[in-house]
């Protein structure tokens, strides 16, 4: 059975922890391992932070959209913004690349997402926004609701 949740919040840094907790609470019904839960919370943090800092350039009046779905043993997480977009996705995915070097950003967000998830798709268009879709198959699913 497929289960879904959607959350929309203002693009302020404080809401990054809200996104992490919301996804963690939602997927807890799958009884993930601590490592799986930590990985998923980390990628949600990276994607939401990218939307806030790079997509909206910290404009607190914009909204970040988060959706999460469970389908069998697979989790799908989508983080979407309607910000400035990414002109060169392949360049942005390069380790250590950052559009904010003056902020001493590590430039490892996409690398972390790709290492912790089974699949990461990024679509973006300048001045339209960015959507990050991540998938992960849990290895230890023992659904609590069954």
């Amino acid at each position: 059975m497929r289960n879904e949740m959607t959350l929309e919040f203002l693009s302020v840094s404080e809401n990054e922890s809200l996104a992490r907790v919301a996804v963690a609470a939602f997927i807890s019904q799958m009884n993930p391992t601590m490592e799986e839960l930590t990985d998923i919370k980390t990628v949600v943090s990276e994607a939401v932070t990218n939307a806030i800092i790079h997509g909206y350039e910290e404009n607190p009046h914009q909204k970040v959209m988060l959706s999460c779905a469970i389908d069998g043993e697979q989790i799908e997480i989508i983080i979407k913004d309607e910000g400035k977009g990414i002109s060169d996705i392949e360049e942005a995915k390069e380790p250590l690349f950052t559009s904010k070097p003056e902020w001493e950003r590590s430039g490892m967000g996409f690398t972390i997402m790709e290492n912790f998830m089974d699949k990461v798709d990024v679509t973006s268009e300048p001045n339209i926004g960015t959507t990050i879709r991540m998938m992960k198959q849990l290895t230890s699913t023992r659904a609590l609701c069954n």
Side-chain angles (χ1 to χ4, degrees):
M1 182 177 109
R2 185 170 170 90
N3 191 8
E4 301 176 0
M5 72 105 179
T6 302
L7 181 63
E8 184 176 273
F9 49 88
L10 288 176
S11 60
V12 294
S13 293
E14 293 83 2
N15 285 336
E16 176 268 327
S17 61
L18 168 68
R20 287 171 54 101
V21 169
V23 170
F26 182 73
I27 67 167
S28 68
Q29 63 191 287
M30 297 180 73
N31 200 20
T33 66
M34 189 57 66
E35 181 180 358
E36 290 168 332
L37 190 58
T38 300
D39 289 353
I40 289 166
K41 288 167 58 177
T42 299
V43 300
V44 168
S45 290
E46 292 294 337
V48 169
T49 298
N50 280 355
I52 293 169
I53 290 175
H54 301 289
Y56 291 130
E57 299 186 314
E58 295 196 289
N59 178 345
H61 304 294
Q62 302 298 320
K63 292 190 178 169
V64 177
M65 286 70 69
L66 161 69
S67 65
C68 187
I70 297 169
D71 193 357
E73 296 178 350
Q74 185 162 287
I75 298 168
E76 175 187 54
I77 301 167
I78 299 172
I79 311 282
K80 181 179 180 184
D81 69 67
E82 296 176 342
K84 78 178 210 183
I86 303 169
S87 59
D88 186 339
I89 294 171
E90 291 310 309
E91 178 185 40
K93 289 171 121 180
E94 286 293 318
L96 306 178
F97 175 83
T98 179
S99 65
K100 303 274 185 208
E102 68 277 10
W103 290 12
E104 298 182 15
R105 308 294 303 170
S106 73
M108 295 299 289
F110 283 125
T111 302
I112 291 168
M113 289 179 229
E114 289 174 337
N115 283 318
F116 288 0
M117 300 299 281
D118 297 329
K119 185 175 182 180
V120 177
D121 292 321
V122 180
T123 56
S124 189
E125 200 170 322
N127 303 314
I128 302 289
T130 301
T131 300
I132 300 172
R133 181 177 178 255
M134 301 176 281
M135 310 284 284
K136 185 170 187 75
Q137 185 83 21
L138 293 189
T139 56
S140 63
T141 301
R142 299 173 309 280
L144 295 174
C145 57
N146 290 342

